[in-house]
Amino acid sequence: MLKIVVGSPRLRSFAVVSEPPCCTGGDAWRVVEDRDGVEVYWSGRKLFSMRIATWERGVEIAHTLEGDEHVYGLGEKYAHLDRRFKRFHFWNVDQTVHLPSGDPMYKSIPFYIVAKPGKVYGVFVDYPGYLYIDTGVEHLDRIVIRVGAGYAVLYVFSGENLYEILDAYTRLTGRPFMPPKWAVGYHQSRYSYASQDEVLRVAEEFRRRRIPCDAIWLDIDYMDGYRLFTWSRDRFPDPRGMIEKLHSMNMRVVTIVDVGIKEEKGYHAYDRGVELNAFLRTPDGELFRGGVWPGLCVFPDFLRSSGRRYWAQRLAEFMGVGVDGIWLDMNEPAIFYMEKPFRSMVAEVSKRLIENDVEGAGNHYFWRARHLIGTTSVGKGIGMVDIPAVHLDDDGGEVRHSEIHNAYPLLENEATKMGFEIARPGRRWFILTRSAYAGIQRLAAVWTGDNQSDWGHMAISIPMLLNLGLSGVPFAGADVGGFGDDVDPEMLVRWTQLGAFYPFFRNHSSKGTRRQEPWVFGEPWSSYVAEAIRLRYRLLPYIYSMFIEAHRSGKPVIRPLFAEFPQDEQSYVVEDEFLVGPSLLVAPVLTPGARARAVYLPQVRWLDLWSGEVLEPGWRLVEAPIDRVPLFLREDGAVVTTEPRSSATEPWGTVTIDVFVGRKACAVLYDDDGETADFEKGRFFEAKVCIERRGGDAVIRVEELHMGYEPGFSKVRIRLLGSPWVERVLLEGEELRVYRSGKAVVAELGIGRLTASQQG
Ligand code: GLC
């Protein structure tokens, strides 16, 4: 890693958690000054030339791009997989316009990866105020970065492959947190389930229909007048009882927690915050106020530790009734209006109207209104208005909000995690956040905000989530079925088939739209939706093992094709299919009426998991009837599955390793208690099981083994697919009894037998 500092940074970094002691990067890096700037080399190879200048608001940095290089990452952007030839703003807003022109969005992660066959590097621009990154509009062959400050801090990462870049970046900014097992299951949400009876009815319906589901989500209407940390007495008279009942059904509860605290004397969260001086102020020293759901609100100052403690305490008390997870929303922070400018705008518009200056009034309204809804953006670059608030740091120093705007939600997430530590020490936490800054992966899962029930939004969710993974944030999802507008039956089926592979899998929809639970369209649709959810639960052992891998090394759970096939030029741009882990290729159907689709299969042979057919690499047309999402297993790859249960926390019983062996394929069996942080102390089970072809023999070996935990499965089934060559299956020289099922050869054995083979 190479660190480049321009000027003198005014503030500490919020993203960086552990910086290696020496940041000039060691021997592999070479920086050579030329006339206009510097040339940066890694391992003898030139990465780029860089020039440093100024623009009207601060530092400008530009570096070269080669003609055939692609750009990825940059967090959450409504844009395609390859982010070259675009312009992006970094300023968290409540983005209601999910369109290319609706940039910026909720999250700001100024980290990107430049890649082509044989070359890959990453750049992280660590500045949490306003930033602009142009990936080839102003200059075809350059990236231009404009920082809204007179200083800049850049980290450059290089390595042999993409994963080394993500490893280094997540070492710097924090490893992805390991979620509890239930959070990897299916989540059901709605804005809003309006009463505790309704919540229980929905939960019971899942269990009655045997559709797996791990959590029910409560949106803003559970609160009393949208006051944070309260429950509506009429609609949720007994939250503890409701949650106990849900827990007895093995169902968890996640509640939304916005960030604005209603300004109201006598309301405990407000009073306590005032007492502790925990809120943001204006430059004049008054409380900073902005309108959100409950009306005028004040906002916690998460920059100082007392503000974070205030929040953590409120949250921990609130969670006391048994809440399992916290959903942080509106935390850009989103503010619908700010009181003073709003009043002056209304006065000005009224005056012009009285003077009969209709056009003037209209113009004034149009422009002022855009600036008033300071943090709700209405279009490209517009609406990125400063929030005139002031933070205090722990030494009492003042920091303008605009200097750290994008880090505000990150600090809120830190405080929220502290709340979990108070409420349930030693247990894993679960936070979902809408807004974020670089480093968020160590604290929370993310979702892409208010999309629409629209095929285009469904399709773009793939490059959006893939790029979040390439920005260090593996645990990400989009609202399955779409948030705004009305879903139709086919879209709900296809979106659930896709969502089953989102790392974060939640169905959520807005008030005023048609209901979107799996059963709303009746048969045959509800069976298709249910089957797609069950598919997720079949794949849990594989997906869960990808989460631990992400936690250890920053590897994304879902990956673009080029991550695994960097020599394959085509795989750098395909964005309507993706890999889950290294071995499973998913090609979801993204258009109505389609019952087949073109699939690009990179570089190796692939096994069609539905037909059992072996396919050569290249473009193929595959069948995709309505009840099926095309899935392919890589040659020399493996996936681990189980029978679906109602909850992800139920023991797996038997796991099946599906392998397609060319020469040798390995599967990882991983399990832990799914609840506590004990896995960090070695309490987990992990075995790397490999199957190698030797002539007509398939030879099984356990290559690595960690036995710190008794896994929730006792039987392992090994299913050899696409392998007509198999005559015998051997374990330690002994031939195992096998049977044939369709085209597969199957061997079954107890976990003890398998692991003893390695120990022995
Ligand atoms: C925001 C969130 C959405 C939520 C709604 C009501 O629009 O993005 O998910 O349902 O607020 O809380």
Side-chain angles (χ1 to χ4, degrees), residues 346-367:
V346 171
E348 185 65 28
V349 170
S350 322
K351 185 170 143 258
R352 291 186 191 203
L353 284 175
I354 290 161
E355 286 166 359
N356 215 12
D357 177 10
V358 177
E359 197 183 327
N363 278 338
H364 186 82
Y365 173 75
F366 186 73
W367 289 110

Side-chain angles (χ1 to χ4, degrees), residues 94 96 106 189-192 218-221 223 226 256 258 293 327 329-330 332 336 434 447-451 479 483 506 508-511:
D94 176 359
T96 48
Y106 312 92
S189 185
R190 171 82 181 169
Y191 169 25
S192 299
L218 305 186
D219 207 323
I220 49 178
D221 294 291
M223 290 181 262
Y226 306 135
I256 200 168
D258 291 338
W293 300 119
W327 169 20
D329 193 24
M330 307 296 277
E332 291 70 27
F336 297 153
R434 188 170 76 175
W447 96 107
T448 56
D450 298 349
N451 63 2
D479 284 346
F483 175 73
R506 182 185 71 159
H508 179 54
S509 54
S510 181
K511 218 166 231 183

Side-chain angles (χ1 to χ4, degrees), residues 635-653:
E635 179 164 29
D636 285 335
V639 291
V640 187
T641 62
T642 186
E643 284 307 305
R645 307 292 150 113
S646 60
S647 149
T649 56
E650 283 173 41
W652 295 329

Side-chain angles (χ1 to χ4, degrees), residues 65 69-74 77-90 99-103 105 112 131-146 380 460 463 467 575:
L65 277 181
E69 284 173 340
H70 308 271
V71 180
Y72 304 97
L74 295 172
K77 292 291 173 193
Y78 188 98
H80 291 278
L81 181 64
D82 183 352
R83 278 157 179 202
R84 195 158 173 188
F85 308 118
K86 303 293 275 181
R87 281 178 279 188
F88 300 107
H89 301 273
F90 293 81
L99 285 175
S101 55
D103 184 71
M105 294 200 59
Y112 56 88
L131 262 181
Y132 164 89
I133 300 181
D134 173 328
T135 57
V137 177
E138 288 175 31
H139 306 276
L140 279 181
D141 59 352
R142 236 171 282 171
I143 286 194
V144 179
I145 303 161
R146 299 208 171 96
K380 191 148 199 133
I460 199 110
N467 273 309
E575 62 174 24

Side-chain angles (χ1 to χ4, degrees), residues 188 192-204 207 214-219 221-223 230-256 318-325:
Q188 184 62 50
S192 299
Y193 292 125
S195 69
Q196 64 182 49
D197 293 341
E198 190 181 3
V199 171
L200 290 170
R201 270 203 308 277
V202 172
E204 274 154 13
R207 292 297 178 251
D214 269 275
I216 303 276
W217 289 53
L218 305 186
D219 207 323
D221 294 291
Y222 77 83
M223 290 181 262
T230 67
W231 295 87
S232 152
R233 280 211 196 109
D234 311 330
R235 285 169 287 112
F236 289 83
D238 180 17
R240 190 184 291 275
M242 174 191 75
I243 295 175
E244 270 167 18
K245 203 138 185 208
L246 289 166
H247 285 174
S248 73
M249 297 158 73
N250 219 353
M251 197 79 96
R252 304 297 193 284
V253 180
V254 183
T255 52
I256 200 168
F318 168 72
M319 288 177 68
V321 289
V323 171
D324 299 282

Side-chain angles (χ1 to χ4, degrees), residues 500-572:
F501 299 94
Y502 287 167
F504 173 63
F505 182 22
R506 182 185 71 159
N507 173 315
H508 179 54
S509 54
S510 181
K511 218 166 231 183
T513 65
R514 77 134 30 257
R515 293 291 289 246
Q516 207 162 272
E517 290 79 13
W519 49 83
V520 294
F521 293 110
E523 290 301 340
W525 311 102
S526 53
S527 290
Y528 301 149
V529 174
E531 216 26 67
I533 298 173
R534 289 189 194 113
L535 181 58
R536 164 66 161 227
Y537 283 72
R538 283 181 210 286
L539 282 158
L540 267 181
Y542 181 65
I543 294 177
Y544 194 57
S545 73
M546 291 308 135
F547 273 87
I548 194 74
E549 196 175 1
H551 173 66
R552 289 171 180 166
S553 68
K555 270 192 191 166
V557 173
I558 60 170
R559 307 169 186 180
L561 305 189
F562 79 89
E564 288 290 325
F565 300 95
Q567 294 310 325
D568 183 328
E569 181 59 53
Q570 180 73 51
S571 75
Y572 282 77

